[in-house]
């Protein structure tokens, strides 16, 4: 694969590889082959990262050995539980759910191998496209986003680029003006009179857009040159396609341990899960970082979308999941394009991470309720069994959140050593697929972060879903704030 030259203002990356800037250089250095990419990843692994990975393996392997040593204790506890009606029922329920999840995983595995991304169509067949970039307190990052979009391999006469400043309090508007000065008529910039939220910024872009296809891109994201044409191509080849999700990976992968963990998690979430969902024509959420929609399909649900409420309060989160639901409800397919890459910034600290997950889980609670109103009806032609299974799988996580957290706490208080050893050895087994998948697709060395992420999620983020359920009616983005100037 040839490396592609870019300007110093643009961030860029090659397919299946990571872009790495060298401090002090005029232009970033971009690794355009897997061997160089692996060297960069290895070089960027700091002592703290090494310590975390080593500790992860010590915990997992030690717990597995402990499970073996404590097997008589496990047998004793299991026998005691079987003699208790409540625990017996719980074991039956847990086993049933485990078998369902195993069957669901095998089903997803079958769908994954069935999935194939749509190849890019010719310039002549590409539809007119409006790209909307909503921004709030992004600073210079919005410049990088707009430059990467302007560098897209998409016919300029068919591309409309809109940037909406949602009442930022920093220098976001300045960098939009700088982009306008550089790009001229290729980009149009608008400033909301006050901060009204991402949904309203997108709404303004939808109303201003003239393209047959709307593409939404977060202002902290960078796209590859062929991303837009790959993202839009399914609309040409499939008239039933109403929306397409892009392939999101982490931009600030070398900025900390949490981004490294999330990068592995994102690959599984998008390249495995959304590939399987796409094979059913039912991707459950088109991500804010990169998504595309038929304009007439958007306009058909736009009044409902902009005025959406939950428990009497205007919805200011989950605009991407809400739009996906409304498009599925209209009977259209929602697909995933694995060859449409976008890199986006993720939280680097625990506080930002849990706030992001709270927002996502609140949205899932709300939109699963909405989806339940149509998913068991004949909402589109053809089979809807797969879509219903996807819905049930998501709903089970919500429904079982409280029973499992209560059971977990009881297990911790009564048998703490058995709980820790069993949970950690379970993580070793369950997370190995994520490790294998990432290693196969990208890098073996970075794949091990899947184990660390599972430990973090199990012990540090287990409370997110129960909390999100209890506070699903609350408003607020939680992670929107001033970015650090660099």
């Amino acid at each position: 694969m040839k490396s592609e030259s870019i300007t110093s203002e643009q961030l860029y990356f090659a397919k299946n590889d990571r872009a790495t800037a060298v401090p002090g250089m005029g232009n970033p250095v971009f690794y355009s082959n897997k061997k160089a990419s692996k060297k960069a990843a290895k070089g960027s692994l700091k002592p703290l990262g090494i310590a975390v990975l080593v500790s992860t393996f010590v915990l997992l392997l030690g717990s597995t050995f402990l499970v073996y040593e404590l097997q008589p204790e496990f047998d004793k506890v299991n026998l005691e539980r079987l003699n208790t009606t409540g625990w017996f029922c719980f074991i039956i329920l847990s086993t049933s759910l485990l078998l369902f999840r195993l069957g669901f995983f095998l089903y997803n595995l079958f769908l994954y191998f069935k999935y194939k991304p749509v190849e890019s169509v010719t310039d002549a067949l590409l539809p007119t496209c409006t790209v909307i970039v909503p921004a709030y307190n992004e600073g210079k990052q919005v410049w990088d986003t707009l430059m990467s979009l302007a560098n897209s391999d998409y016919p300029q006469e068919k591309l409309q680029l809109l940037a909406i400043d949602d009442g930022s309090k920093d220098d976001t508007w300045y960098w939009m003006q700088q982009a306008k000065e550089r790009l001229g008529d290729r980009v149009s910039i608008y400033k909301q009179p006050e901060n009204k939220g991402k949904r309203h910024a997108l709404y303004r872009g939808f109303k201003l857009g003239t393209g047959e296809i709307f593409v939404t891109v977060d202002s902290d994201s960078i796209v590859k040159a062929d991303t837009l044409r790959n993202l839009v191509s399914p609309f040409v080849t499939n008239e039933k396609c109403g929306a397409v999700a892009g392939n999101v990976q982490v931009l600030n992968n070398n900025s900390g341990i949490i981004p490294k963990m999330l990068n592995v998690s994102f690959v599984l979430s998008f390249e495995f899960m959304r590939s399987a969902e796409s094979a059913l024509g039912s991707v459950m959420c088109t991500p804010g970082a990169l998504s595309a929609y038929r304009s007439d399909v958007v306009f058909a649900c736009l009044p409902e979308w902009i005025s959406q409420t939950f428990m009497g309060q205007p919805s200011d989160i989950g605009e991407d999941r809400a739009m996906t639901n409304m498009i599925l409800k209209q009977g259209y397919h929602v697909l995933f394009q694995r060859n449409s890459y976008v890199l986006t910034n993720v939280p680097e600290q625990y506080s930002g991470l849990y706030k992001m997950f709270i927002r996502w889980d609140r949205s899932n609670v709300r939109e699963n309720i909405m989806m339940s109103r149509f998913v068991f009806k004949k909402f589109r032609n053809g089979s809807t069994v797969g879509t219903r299974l996807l819905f049930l799988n998501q709903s089970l996580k919500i429904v079982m959140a409280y029973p499992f957290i209560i059971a977990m706490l009881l297990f911790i208080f009564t048998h703490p050593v058995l709980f820790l050893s069993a949970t950690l050895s379970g993580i070793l087994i369950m997370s190995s697929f994520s490790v294998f998948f990432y290693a196969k697709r990208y890098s073996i060395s970075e794949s091990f972060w899947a184990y660390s992420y599972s430990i973090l999620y199990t012990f540090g983020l287990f409370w997110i879903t129960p909390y999100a359920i209890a506070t699903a009616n609350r408003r607020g983005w939680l992670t929107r704030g001033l970015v650090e100037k660099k």
Side-chain angles (χ1 to χ4, degrees):
M1 180 185 296
K2 291 184 177 181
S3 60
E4 300 166 357
S5 61
I6 63 169
T7 64
S8 60
E9 293 86 0
Q10 294 170 295
L11 294 175
Y12 204 64
F13 60 96
K15 181 177 179 181
N16 294 343
D17 300 298
R18 195 67 67 230
T20 303
V22 177
M25 300 291 289
N27 291 312
V29 174
F30 294 87
Y31 295 91
S32 58
N33 60 73
K34 289 189 176 182
K35 184 177 180 180
S37 181
K38 291 177 181 178
K39 287 182 178 179
K42 184 177 180 181
S44 66
L45 192 59
K46 298 179 180 179
L48 179 60
I50 296 174
V52 169
L53 286 177
V54 171
S55 300
T56 295
F57 279 105
V58 169
L59 277 173
L60 295 179
L61 295 177
S63 64
T64 303
F65 175 75
L66 201 56
V67 167
Y68 174 78
E69 288 292 314
L70 296 176
Q71 194 59 48
E73 291 295 321
F74 280 103
D75 293 338
K76 180 181 177 181
V77 170
N78 288 331
L79 286 174
E80 291 175 354
R81 288 178 175 178
L82 288 173
N83 293 326
T84 306
T85 304
W87 275 111
F88 178 78
C89 293
F90 182 79
I91 291 173
I92 294 297
L93 178 61
S94 301
T95 303
S96 299
L97 290 175
L98 181 62
L99 291 174
F100 172 80
R101 295 301 295 269
L102 178 60
F104 186 76
F105 168 75
L106 294 175
Y107 180 52
N108 280 337
L109 195 62
F110 165 75
L111 293 173
Y112 169 77
F113 286 113
K114 183 180 177 182
Y115 166 82
K116 292 291 185 297
V118 176
E119 293 185 4
S120 175
V121 299
T122 63
D123 286 1
L125 292 176
L126 286 173
T128 55
C129 177
T130 296
V131 182
I132 305 167
V133 181
Y136 179 73
N137 290 347
E138 286 297 346
K140 188 178 182 296
Q141 180 63 53
V142 70
W143 159 279
D144 297 323
T145 300
L146 293 173
M147 290 301 116
S148 73
L149 289 165
N151 193 52
S152 295
D153 179 21
Y154 204 95
Q156 287 190 23
E157 67 276 8
K158 293 186 176 183
L159 185 63
Q160 179 188 29
L161 182 56
L162 307 177
I164 316 291
D165 181 359
D166 186 29
S168 297
K169 297 179 177 63
D170 66 349
D171 57 353
T172 296
W173 181 243
Y174 167 79
W175 286 108
M176 282 189 178
Q177 291 175 311
Q178 292 298 303
K180 174 67 176 177
E181 184 176 331
R182 171 66 66 88
L183 299 174
D185 293 338
R186 296 183 62 193
V187 62
S188 299
I189 61 175
Y190 302 89
K191 186 177 179 66
Q192 298 279 71
E194 60 181 357
N195 175 234
K196 300 180 69 177
K198 183 179 178 181
R199 190 178 299 231
H200 283 272
L202 287 172
Y203 179 77
R204 186 173 183 180
F206 289 143
K207 299 294 284 187
L208 291 168
T210 60
E212 299 168 84
I213 304 298
F214 289 139
V215 173
T216 62
V217 179
D218 279 350
S219 53
D220 58 355
S221 304
I222 304 297
V223 300
K224 190 185 172 187
D226 63 355
T227 290
L228 291 182
R229 65 185 304 122
N230 288 337
L231 187 71
V232 167
S233 292
F235 296 102
V236 180
T237 62
N238 184 357
E239 62 181 12
K240 295 180 180 179
C241 177
V244 178
N247 189 355
V248 183
Q249 296 186 0
V250 174
L251 177 61
N252 53 333
N253 187 39
N254 291 325
S255 298
I257 292 174
I258 288 178
K260 286 183 179 296
M261 293 180 185
L262 288 176
N263 187 54
V264 179
S265 174
F266 274 28
V267 167
L268 185 73
S269 175
F270 282 89
E271 299 198 15
F272 180 70
M273 286 302 302
R274 279 175 174 79
S275 291
E277 294 172 356
S278 186
L280 298 170
S282 299
V283 171
M284 299 292 277
C285 182
T286 51
L290 178 66
S291 295
Y293 311 96
R294 283 193 194 275
S295 58
D296 55 344
V297 176
V298 169
F299 287 127
C301 64
L302 198 57
E304 178 186 4
W305 180 77
I306 192 59
S307 61
Q308 186 184 29
T309 61
F310 182 79
M311 297 182 67
Q313 296 288 331
S315 294
D316 59 354
I317 61 172
E319 73 293 327
D320 46 6
R321 178 79 195 274
M323 180 65 75
T324 309
N325 259 346
M326 292 177 186
I327 290 174
L328 285 170
K329 185 180 178 181
Q330 293 179 57
Y332 287 93
H333 292 182
V334 179
L335 306 178
F336 167 67
Q337 275 289 77
R338 190 167 58 204
N339 54 9
S340 296
Y341 289 89
V342 60
L343 291 180
T344 192
N345 279 316
V346 298
E348 298 175 11
Q349 303 296 327
Y350 176 76
S351 60
L353 180 66
Y354 78 71
K355 289 176 182 178
M356 180 179 74
F357 280 155
I358 289 173
R359 186 176 74 245
W360 287 359
D361 273 14
R362 283 175 179 167
S363 173
N364 282 334
V365 171
R366 298 179 182 191
E367 295 306 322
N368 269 40
I369 293 173
M370 176 187 172
M371 193 173 188
S372 68
R373 297 170 182 170
F374 71 85
V375 73
F376 293 106
K377 300 177 182 178
K378 190 65 175 177
F379 62 93
R380 73 179 180 201
N381 296 327
S383 175
T384 56
V385 174
T387 309
R388 291 167 182 169
L389 283 174
L390 294 174
F391 167 77
L392 288 173
N393 182 63
Q394 279 202 354
S395 298
L396 278 174
K397 178 185 176 183
I398 297 172
V399 171
M400 296 305 299
Y402 285 105
F404 271 103
I405 199 169
I406 292 171
M408 182 186 76
L409 292 174
L410 286 174
F411 197 5
I412 291 174
F413 290 137
T414 56
H415 305 282
V417 176
L418 297 185
F419 169 79
L420 288 173
S421 58
T423 301
L424 288 169
S425 60
I427 287 174
L428 178 62
I429 296 170
M430 300 300 291
S431 298
S432 291
F433 176 77
S434 299
V435 172
F436 173 79
F437 186 84
Y438 190 91
K440 182 70 174 177
R441 293 285 298 161
Y442 296 101
S443 163
I444 295 177
S445 60
E446 291 195 358
S447 67
F448 297 123
W449 287 107
Y451 292 127
S452 302
Y453 175 75
S454 293
I455 293 176
L456 172 64
Y457 191 90
T458 302
F459 294 99
L461 299 168
F462 67 92
W463 56 273
I464 296 291
T465 299
Y467 178 77
I469 294 171
T471 60
N473 63 320
R474 291 190 185 178
R475 302 179 62 192
W477 197 261
L478 300 179
T479 55
R480 301 183 77 179
L482 292 172
V483 297
E484 181 182 352
K485 291 185 179 181
K486 298 180 179 180

